[in-house]
Amino acid sequence: MTAPATGAVRRRVTVRGTVQGVGFRPFVHRLATELALAGFVSNTASGVLIEVEGPPDGVADFCDRLTAEPPPLATVTGVGFEDLPVTGAESTFGIRSTDRSPGSTLLPPDTATCPDCLQELADPADRRHRHPFVTCTHCGPRFTIATGMPYDRAVTTMAGFPMCAACAREYGDPLDRRFHAQPVACPDCGPRLRLVPAPGSEVRPARGAEALASARALLATGRIVAVKGLGGYHLACDATDARAVDTLRTRKARGGKPFAVMCADLDDVRRIADLSASERAALTGSRRPIVLLRRRGEAGALAPGVCPGSPHVGVMLPYTPVHTLLLGLPGDPPGPRVLVMTSGNRSGEPIVTDDDEALTRLAGLADAWLAHDRPIASPCDDSLLRVRPDGTEQVLRRSRGYVPRPLRLPVPVRPALAVGGDLKNALCLGAGEQAWFGPHIGDMGDLTTLEAARRADAHLRRLTGVSPEVVAADRHPGYHSTRWAARLAGHAPVTVQHHHAHIASAMAEHGLDGTTPVIGVAFDGTGYGDDGTVWGGEILLADYTGFRRYARLSPAPLPGGDAGVANPCRLALARLWAAGLPWDADLPCVSACAPRELALLRRQLSGELACVPTSSMGRLFDAVSSLLGVCHRAGYEAQAALELEAAAASAWGADGSAYAFADGLDPAPLLGALVADLRRGTPAAVLAARFHRAVARAVAAICRRARQDTGLATVALSGGVFANALLEEECARLLTEDGFAVLRHGEVPPNDGGLALGQLVVAAHLRQEE
């Protein structure tokens, strides 16, 4: 033991936040060494523990710079300081082994390959040249390889890859970029690629660099390759090859739903889409989501089947070394520069992560599998967002790059799990003032999806250390998620009305404590109403403890339930029926139905047979889409509404007029005016734009009336209909000009992917009221 330095001080510093797996301990070590301080740093289950000793000015400087200069991927949410007696026990500063005591800390999301690693990947002189798993403390997998906490190599899927001597030296060198980087590996000790051909294929199996070269050659010849990524498999093909794209669409039973594409670089993006500075920033950031971009007029070289009927294309850039190599380094043989990259699953199933399962579940879809032997601890699909004109982002699917980053809650909650809904499912776990979304799971329609939800729940609990005391679910008694929640809880879960949860989600995201209600505009396709009917066009006066239904879209019959949703022409006829308008043969929605279908539908409506009333705004958009001849049969969710929005966007600047609802949200006069203008020969795109403006103006008028009645001046816009950029922008513009504070979703999806956050905060308040 050395004697304490004269005038020295010792301080304990506890750091909370995303401070593990991001190079925080190496950063602390370098900072303390630079300032000639003694002591140690260690990961704990609650964050990072530091004890630092030395001259008072050096310790003070250390504490200031600790939060001012953190590593790129770190997020510090709290720092505690405690003065200790000087010990003189250390002469240098060291890194101690991880404390395994109970507790929780924050793990960073998976992040895209950093520039330094990309440079090494392309450098023939570097020992990691073309290494498909190059990574460091500033990039690469975290969430998808972690099997427990605190974060250390022993509790990741890299535990089965012992480091070679060279990697071990880097890992142990405080001055190296890979100091304590848990996924560190190289070609000598890291995971290996392999190419597995489909049975009966003429393609040869291959390993390592040959496997990647073969996969790239297959893509260049129009084949479909299942590619194992960070959070699961993708199905990839050349996005410029019409035959390959159509084959993939047929094999996957994709219908007309657009595919996302991955471009080699920004120049390739600009060839197929318009790109603003904010969109460029979203594309190139460390999260690397899919960004919805406006397609260029000539659609570039994209095959028509990539995104049929859509003015947008979902684009992402490579985010793993495998992607970069698959798209080619400088000097590589010519190959595809733009790849379709769609989730590796059959439509309606969760993304595939297990290698053996991939060979069976993707059989018949892929011509070959580009796999590797690093296991995936948790599935994690690609995130999806759009960038608004003001540069803010609206996340439509929150998954890779975001999960498991926590959201700060405006009010503390008991440990609770919210299971979301049956569509676009994502779980949310909360405790205290933090909430953690799990990755996107999808539609809860079968056993494989329920099993994916069970695994996501278990994984989230392991990483956060939270054991829920409350389980919250949607109020719909028939939801798979609600029945699963009952099994988890061992009794009836706390149920939250669907649209109340949507509004509460927006309130929580914006940090509202719930002491003052908001005017909540909840527009979506389907939500179980308290009266047993289908809601979806709701104006609520809501806080976390409850809501009052202030206004709603006038209901119309929903013929045949899900069958009706898949046939917008039937929804249009039901809306005309409810409005008292005739089914004249010249109307597109009438001519789209066979005589027998019309007769059956007429009997259903007149006898109220299998016709649940619905106030759904999403279904009104579907109905108008068919009424205008835009879309009569929907091959995927929201297709009719998306194509109606695309039509309206094409005429948005050409006509500023709008139709009008009666009595708030009764669309009868609007439908009559649409029919009249349709017969006058007004283009469908102009009519679609007028309809969008009509909805926005009706929202603004009802909110003004609610303000007069209640004094409330904050409006929350939530629900899947507000993924419609035209409608959301117009509503926000009118309301802001009218003096309202407008809450719009950002990181939390407006659709059912954000539902669980609202369930979480409402359930916490309901329990507090009991």
Side-chain angles (χ1 to χ4, degrees), residues 486-577:
R487 293 195 296 272
L488 280 174
H491 52 75
V494 178
T495 59
V496 181
Q497 200 280 325
H498 190 90
H499 302 96
H500 185 201
H502 271 308
I503 300 306
S505 174
M507 293 172 65
E509 183 179 6
H510 283 271
L512 272 63
D513 63 9
T515 54
T516 302
V518 302
I519 304 168
V521 184
F523 286 173
D524 63 4
T526 300
Y528 186 76
D530 283 350
D531 58 2
T533 67
V534 178
W535 290 8
E538 314 306 312
I539 313 290
L540 309 178
L541 306 179
D543 57 20
Y544 296 133
T545 61
F547 71 93
R548 176 164 71 87
R549 197 182 191 192
Y550 181 80
R552 54 97 172 98
L553 181 69
S554 296
L558 179 59
D562 289 343
V565 174
N567 294 278
C569 52
R570 299 180 190 175
L571 301 176
L573 294 169
R575 268 291 165 192
L576 292 175
W577 179 279

Side-chain angles (χ1 to χ4, degrees), residues 406-430:
L407 296 165
R408 191 163 189 84
L409 295 174
V411 288
V413 301
R414 288 173 59 189
L417 171 71
V419 301
D422 268 17
L423 298 178
K424 298 179 174 63
N425 184 271
L427 310 178
C428 191
L429 195 62

